[in-house]
Amino acid sequence: MYCLARTLNIKSAATPAQWRSRSIYRVLTDRFALTDGPTSASCNTENRLIKKLDYIQGVGFTAVWISPIVKNIPRPQPMAKPITATGAQDINSLNEHFGSAADLKALCNALHACGMYLMVDVAPNHFAYAGSGTAVGYRKFVPFNSQSYFDSFCWVANYNDQNMVEERWLGDNSVSLPDVDTNQPFVQSTYNTWIQNLVLTYRIDGLRIDTAKHVEESFWDSSNNAAGIYAVGEVYSGDKAYTCGYQSASMVFSTSQCEYHFYEQVDTRPNRLQLLSSTESLPIHEWEILELVSMISNVKDNCLDSTLLGTFSENHDIPRFASYTVYAGQEQHYAGGNNPYNREATWLSGCSTTSTLYRHIASLNQIRNQAIYKSGDSYLTYKNWVIYPSGNALATRKSYDNAAIIIVLNNMGSNGCANTFTLANTRYSQGATIYDVLSCTSVTAGSGGTVHVSTTAGLPKVFYPAAMLSGSGICGL
């Protein structure tokens, strides 16, 4: 069985508004469902992915983001023994290690039959060469088979210089990444035709744009219009003003980009806030929650639409941190560090559906889907509102009166003291029964809808009215 329920036949590309409701599971295509060794490169991995859709759907995900599908630099290479890097050599051919054109179409059809969306990773910024930037064999590249299509070789030396970021090269002397000159009209038109054909041929629903900030800004308007679908760009920066700039109306980034400012705020401290905590919360008494509160407010004020941002805490380029893009293996509590150790093969876990984080993430997806079912766009477009900030706890509300999800996080850690406080501005009705859907315990809203909260062992809470849970099966209701 590859699908738990065939609920929707998706016939056209999904809009950004439709992507709001999606919870995305990120897989490295050759790292997910093989049965060989941990660094094996096997054919038909897309077919193996189809056979595991019940596992992905069982944890509540409604979209799958896969690796770049084009012909890649030969492997193994030092930075990525799996065939997962964005190291294109021929964008007009598929990566044969992942499967054929028929296999990719079958994957898309299977996802759509399950009511799920397909997101594909693309990297227009660069190609890849196994060697120094001074010795690149440009004739290997298709369709840009001449040095004239690329910026002159020079490494990025200052990431605060935007011209340098856009016009210089990434990579190293083992694997250099020749920087495509996306200012050239021929390059732009070629890429536009390619992405349009790719989307139409394989019925792709969304794109993830690798190294988006390294591409000239003038490229994006025509490129995203040609694709005609939701696109989320990787803008690796903790600067909120900088990252929100890529969501401006002029950029037309399908109004979205990966929320690196959130990752940087939460994940770069010596002790980190445990957002997906279950039984292993970290003690992080030095965490300044008020800085996170300020970040949430600034993003709402400065980004064009914060409800379309791609929030995450793990991906294939950064050390793991056990987001709503969840990276394969996160649900099995994988703990790999920097690349390539964060690219562990998911099948080695046995793909348990009873592991603590698998069930925990399933509960979070389940309550989110219930809120979407009950409230629709009024839930999806509501911008998260902080209703309780303190030095060791944070509570946010999403949605309106009597239908809000309230999430309570804290930084006390699994060995920390119990903490008790009262939430106001919940918008719940006095006397309403409110469930913490993670523990399936209930409280009664007090005067003015106040909710008394007790936290222990650093565990989070997710509150939702019992009246909105009726018939859902959540907590037996």
Side-chain angles (χ1 to χ4, degrees):
M1 184 176 76
Y2 69 76
C3 182
L4 294 179
R6 296 171 180 251
T7 57
L8 179 63
N9 183 19
I10 300 172
K11 297 182 178 180
S12 59
T15 66
Q18 290 172 310
W19 272 93
R20 272 198 190 93
S21 66
R22 298 287 149 166
S23 183
I24 305 169
Y25 188 77
R26 196 287 190 252
V27 301
L28 299 180
T29 308
D30 67 324
R31 301 285 80 202
F32 182 68
L34 290 176
T35 55
D36 311 59
T39 60
S40 174
S42 175
C43 294
N44 296 320
T45 53
E46 287 159 347
N47 275 335
R48 295 175 186 268
L49 179 54
I50 291 172
K51 295 176 182 178
K52 281 292 186 180
L53 290 186
D54 56 341
Y55 169 84
I56 298 173
Q57 201 179 28
V59 77
F61 291 102
T62 51
V64 175
W65 157 20
I66 64 173
S67 301
I69 60 178
V70 301
K71 185 176 180 180
N72 217 47
I73 187 173
R75 290 293 186 260
Q77 295 298 337
M79 283 300 292
K81 290 183 180 179
I83 309 167
T84 53
T86 49
Q89 290 205 324
D90 179 358
I91 64 172
N92 292 333
S93 299
L94 294 179
N95 188 332
E96 62 182 9
H97 296 285
F98 292 170
S100 65
D103 294 326
L104 182 56
K105 290 177 181 178
L107 173 60
C108 184
N109 290 337
L111 285 165
H112 288 173
C114 295
M116 302 172 77
Y117 288 170
L118 172 65
M119 175 176 282
V120 172
D121 209 317
V122 296
N125 176 68
H126 55 262
F127 278 57
Y129 180 76
S132 169
T134 60
V136 173
Y138 291 95
R139 296 179 67 178
K140 293 177 177 288
F141 301 150
V142 179
F144 308 124
N145 60 356
S146 167
Q147 185 175 358
S148 63
Y149 297 120
F150 296 84
D151 290 315
S152 298
F153 169 62
C154 190
W155 301 122
V156 177
N158 180 5
Y159 282 87
N160 292 318
D161 183 332
Q162 187 62 26
N163 287 332
M164 184 179 293
V165 167
E166 293 177 2
E167 296 176 3
R168 295 193 180 182
W169 291 28
L170 300 171
D172 55 35
N173 286 324
S174 296
V175 179
S176 56
L177 303 179
D179 194 79
V180 180
D181 184 359
T182 51
N183 275 325
Q184 294 188 31
F186 174 77
V187 170
Q188 290 191 9
S189 63
T190 300
Y191 263 140
N192 290 350
T193 300
W194 168 74
I195 196 61
Q196 189 174 58
N197 290 336
L198 198 74
V199 168
L200 292 175
T201 299
Y202 299 107
R203 299 173 64 211
I204 296 166
D205 303 293
L207 300 172
R208 184 266 188 180
I209 314 292
D210 183 78
T211 54
K213 74 174 186 178
H214 293 273
V215 178
E216 286 81 2
E217 292 185 6
S218 61
F219 175 82
W220 292 121
D221 189 20
S222 63
S223 175
N224 287 308
N225 284 333
I229 57 176
Y230 175 83
V232 55
E234 179 198 24
V235 183
Y236 198 160
S237 172
D239 184 333
K240 296 175 287 295
Y242 179 80
T243 56
C244 284
Y246 280 83
Q247 208 195 21
S248 67
S250 62
M251 290 295 288
V252 199
F253 229 136
S254 288
T255 61
S256 184
Q257 33 92 12
C258 296
E259 203 165 5
Y260 268 97
H261 47 253
F262 177 83
Y263 164 76
E264 289 286 323
Q265 186 73 40
V266 172
D267 202 56
T268 56
R269 299 309 180 90
N271 298 304
R272 303 174 297 183
L273 187 63
Q274 190 75 1
L275 296 181
L276 286 184
S277 170
S278 52
T279 59
E280 299 184 33
S281 298
L282 301 175
I284 44 179
H285 304 293
E286 297 177 3
W287 171 260
E288 291 291 343
I289 285 183
L290 295 182
E291 291 186 22
L292 179 59
V293 172
S294 176
M295 185 275 292
I296 293 171
S297 177
N298 286 334
V299 168
K300 288 196 298 182
D301 292 342
N302 294 310
C303 285
L304 189 65
D305 188 347
S306 60
T307 68
L308 285 171
L309 298 178
T311 305
F312 71 96
S313 63
E314 287 191 359
N315 69 31
H316 57 288
D317 290 324
I318 57 178
R320 285 188 179 271
F321 173 45
S323 79
Y324 250 91
T325 298
V326 166
Y327 174 34
Q330 188 169 354
E331 75 282 3
Q332 300 299 339
H333 219 301
Y334 276 16
N338 287 310
N339 182 5
Y341 304 106
N342 58 354
R343 302 186 177 192
E344 311 97 312
T346 307
W347 77 86
L348 296 176
S349 71
C351 294
S352 170
T353 58
T354 59
S355 67
T356 301
L357 278 181
Y358 185 96
R359 291 182 297 171
H360 184 75
I361 295 172
S363 295
L364 295 175
N365 273 325
Q366 187 179 26
I367 190 59
R368 182 175 185 265
N369 291 336
Q370 177 68 7
I372 294 169
Y373 170 71
K374 298 295 287 188
S375 301
D377 284 345
S378 64
Y379 173 82
L380 292 170
T381 59
Y382 187 94
K383 296 181 180 181
N384 227 15
W385 189 264
V386 176
I387 61 172
Y388 183 86
S390 73
N392 52 34
L394 169 69
T396 64
R397 184 186 74 233
K398 186 170 175 66
S399 200
Y400 297 91
D401 297 357
N402 298 315
I405 289 180
I406 292 178
I407 297 176
V408 179
L409 307 172
N410 71 88
N411 62 1
M412 300 302 291
S414 57
N415 296 319
C417 298
N419 192 19
T420 302
F421 50 92
T422 299
L423 301 180
N425 299 315
T426 66
R427 311 300 283 274
Y428 295 148
S429 297
Q430 181 175 339
T433 300
I434 311 299
Y435 267 81
D436 168 22
V437 299
L438 298 181
S439 65
C440 287
T441 56
S442 65
V443 297
T444 301
S447 177
T450 56
V451 173
H452 296 288
V453 179
S454 295
T455 62
T456 58
L459 296 177
K461 292 183 177 293
V462 179
F463 292 110
Y464 196 57
M468 304 295 285
L469 290 171
S470 179
S472 69
I474 297 173
C475 294
L477 298 178

